[in-house]
Amino acid sequence: MGYELLEILKNRRSIRKFKEEKVAKEVIEQVLKAGLLAPSSKNKKPVQFIVVEDKDTLLKLKECKSKGADAFNTAPCAIVVIADNQLSDVWIEDASIATILLQTAAENLGLGSVWIQMRNRQNNIGNSEDEVRKVLNIPENYGVLSIVAIGYKDEIKEPYNENSLDFSKIHYDKY
Ligand SMILES: Cc1cc2nc3c(=O)[nH]c(=O)nc-3n(C[C@H](O)[C@H](O)[C@H](O)COP(=O)(O)O)c2cc1C
């Protein structure tokens, strides 16, 4: 791995507090390109993205989950990652890869982001996927994996340090 990508990965931390400043459309498009470049099983490309910038809608998305969605209080933008679960039996993996690529691209562009999980999560009414589908008019056959909240960072988080990486988790030849 080249030096630069490792630096981006060390710097990427979950950011849940954002400045008010909007993110320019061109910058969001750069982030989306990374999502569209994600590999997918059998190259079926089941993943789609919904960009949300409307404040009321962002707050509605927050309500789709009973906790862990405070980032929507300040995020000026969110990218909802959905995938056609009839097109691919491994849509979760495909959507996960796209999600982390969005986050990596965001970091590379000087933006902060956080992965807000929707699949397998609930609010007090029902499951978060159904709630998001209702808010955004998403067809039933699309699974809602995650929403990436994105914006300029308004909190400082220490980058990861290579010395703290746990190499005991790596096994060679046998467990
Ligand atoms: C699959 C997955 C689901 C996550 N869900 C949420 C979430 O719903 N809300 C949230 O604030 N952070 C969420 N996160 C962010 C994690 O809490 C975070 O990545 C972890 O604590 C490590 O911190 P770091 O991202 O700063 O390295 C999620 C991360 C992953 C990979």
Side-chain angles (χ1 to χ4, degrees):
M1 190 189 299
Y3 176 75
E4 278 181 20
L5 180 55
L6 201 53
E7 287 308 302
I8 293 161
L9 295 177
K10 283 193 281 187
N11 277 296
R12 184 222 51 81
R13 298 294 315 276
S14 292
I15 297 298
R16 300 181 178 89
K17 206 165 170 275
F18 300 93
K19 293 184 176 158
E20 265 182 51
E21 188 181 348
K22 284 228 160 217
V23 184
K25 192 169 182 281
E26 301 73 48
V27 178
I28 293 295
E29 270 172 14
Q30 290 295 104
V31 173
L32 290 164
K33 281 181 199 170
L36 290 170
L37 282 164
S40 65
S41 173
K42 300 179 184 168
N43 207 16
K44 290 205 170 175
K45 300 192 183 300
V47 182
Q48 299 201 16
F49 305 93
I50 302 169
V51 181
V52 178
E53 291 179 316
D54 177 67
K55 190 79 198 159
D56 289 344
T57 311
L58 287 165
L59 293 177
K60 279 186 194 155
L61 291 175
K62 182 188 167 194
E63 298 308 316
C64 293
K65 250 192 111 162
S66 41
K67 56 179 185 190
D70 287 346
F72 293 132
N73 286 334
T74 54
C77 180
I79 302 175
V80 184
V81 184
I82 63 172
D84 186 336
N85 55 30
Q86 286 171 6
L87 183 59
S88 175
D89 58 351
V90 290
W91 69 271
I92 297 167
E93 287 83 346
D94 290 344
S96 299
I97 293 166
T99 305
I100 197 62
L101 286 179
L102 294 179
Q103 285 201 270
T104 307
E107 178 62 41
N108 188 40
L109 291 161
L111 296 161
S113 73
V114 63
W115 176 321
I116 311 279
Q117 180 73 15
M118 290 296 162
R119 193 186 72 84
N120 261 349
R121 296 290 178 263
Q122 295 78 33
N123 69 4
N124 52 355
I125 302 168
N127 80 69
S128 301
E129 279 193 77
D130 283 339
E131 296 300 303
V132 175
R133 271 191 285 264
K134 270 188 255 165
V135 173
L136 301 177
N137 247 336
I138 299 168
E140 200 55 42
N141 58 308
Y142 279 84
V144 182
L145 181 91
S146 67
I147 305 180
V148 181
I150 292 185
Y152 291 99
K153 301 175 192 179
D154 198 23
E155 62 174 324
I156 295 164
K157 286 212 170 164
E158 280 296 305
Y160 287 109
N161 184 323
E162 267 183 68
N163 298 329
S164 64
L165 294 179
D166 185 359
F167 276 87
S168 75
K169 297 200 177 208
I170 299 172
H171 310 272
Y172 293 94
D173 295 331
K174 274 186 190 163
Y175 180 85

